[in-house]
Amino acid sequence: QQQQQQQQQQQQHAGAVARAGGAVSFAFDPARSHANHLIRESGTLAVLREEGDSEHSALLSPAIPRAGRHFVEFLIENSGTPECYIQLGVCSGTHDVANGTPAYQSDTGWCFSCHNGNLLHYDQGSEYCSKLPRQGDRVGLLVDMDRRTLEVFVNSEGQGVMVRNLPETLHFVVDGGDKGQAIRIINAASPVRS
């Protein structure tokens, strides 16, 4: 039954991507997400089933196109805890998602920490911004593949470029670990108009 449910989710995900027409539409991909993430509503909602021993990744598909500007915006529907241990960013998709390695712990993941505003990369944090999104807030990610940069928006307010010199193969990613965390994609169209 679980396998049948997963196949149905993959079909819904493919349908959501196909409906975008000429523009790219990003959605949570159940085949590229840890089993602790329940992917619902045609790939627009990821919900954490259980507490994790670490954060777990949910990747969006398709991969970010290698040229142009691409944007996705998330709504934190449920932060799980008041501290909001949710990371949103980009990764190459090569880290061990199935065994529970979060993107921010890999050398090919760059994530914004909703908890403390830091850039997390290779399990190291560096100061980025003072805006700390919580439940009910929106976090947008703008990737400029021509410039190879990542910028974060909190409730539509740009926080400046967080990462430069990104690789050419990337996926948007969410890392979460607290039971009940719910992250919804509310804007997943690409490309962004200047």
Side-chain angles (χ1 to χ4, degrees):
Q1 183 182 14
Q2 187 177 11
Q3 186 179 20
Q4 189 178 31
Q5 195 175 33
Q6 191 173 28
Q7 286 174 341
Q8 184 181 20
Q9 288 175 340
Q10 288 172 349
Q11 289 170 347
Q12 288 173 340
H13 174 264
V17 171
R19 283 192 298 277
V24 177
S25 181
F26 301 99
F28 288 111
D29 186 345
R32 302 210 59 175
S33 299
H34 188 274
N36 198 18
H37 282 279
L38 176 62
I39 307 301
R40 301 172 132 176
E41 300 180 26
S42 299
T44 61
L45 180 66
V47 179
L48 267 288
R49 300 173 198 255
E50 302 294 331
E51 295 290 332
D53 53 351
S54 178
E55 284 82 7
H56 298 129
S57 292
L59 276 69
L60 281 66
S61 285
I64 299 169
R66 294 180 179 202
R69 299 173 65 198
H70 308 282
F71 181 77
V72 66
E73 186 173 38
F74 301 94
L75 172 66
I76 302 170
E77 287 192 355
N78 185 335
S79 60
T81 65
E83 295 84 12
C84 198
Y85 292 102
I86 296 170
Q87 289 70 234
L88 305 142
V90 295
C91 67
S92 67
T94 58
H95 65 286
D96 193 355
V97 173
N99 285 320
T101 302
Y104 76 85
Q105 287 183 355
S106 77
D107 62 345
T108 59
W110 297 264
C111 293
F112 169 68
S113 169
C114 295
H115 169 67
N116 59 20
N118 284 351
L119 159 63
L120 301 177
H121 171 67
Y122 211 17
D123 212 15
Q124 300 294 312
S126 54
E127 287 186 23
Y128 170 60
C129 77
S130 59
K131 292 274 186 187
L132 304 180
R134 296 296 187 252
Q135 189 165 305
D137 288 330
R138 294 174 289 112
V139 177
L141 303 174
L142 175 62
V143 174
D144 185 330
M145 291 302 284
D146 299 323
R147 293 186 176 147
R148 302 266 193 246
T149 59
L150 169 62
E151 183 176 359
V152 175
F153 292 78
V154 178
N155 295 321
S156 300
E157 185 180 325
Q159 302 302 304
V161 172
M162 183 173 79
V163 181
R164 297 181 191 285
N165 302 314
L166 289 168
E168 64 180 25
T169 301
L170 290 172
H171 286 264
F172 289 110
V173 65
V174 171
D175 288 340
D178 292 318
K179 183 177 181 176
Q181 284 178 336
I183 310 299
R184 180 178 299 278
I185 299 169
I186 56 174
N187 183 351
S190 168
V192 172
R193 290 188 176 90
S194 298

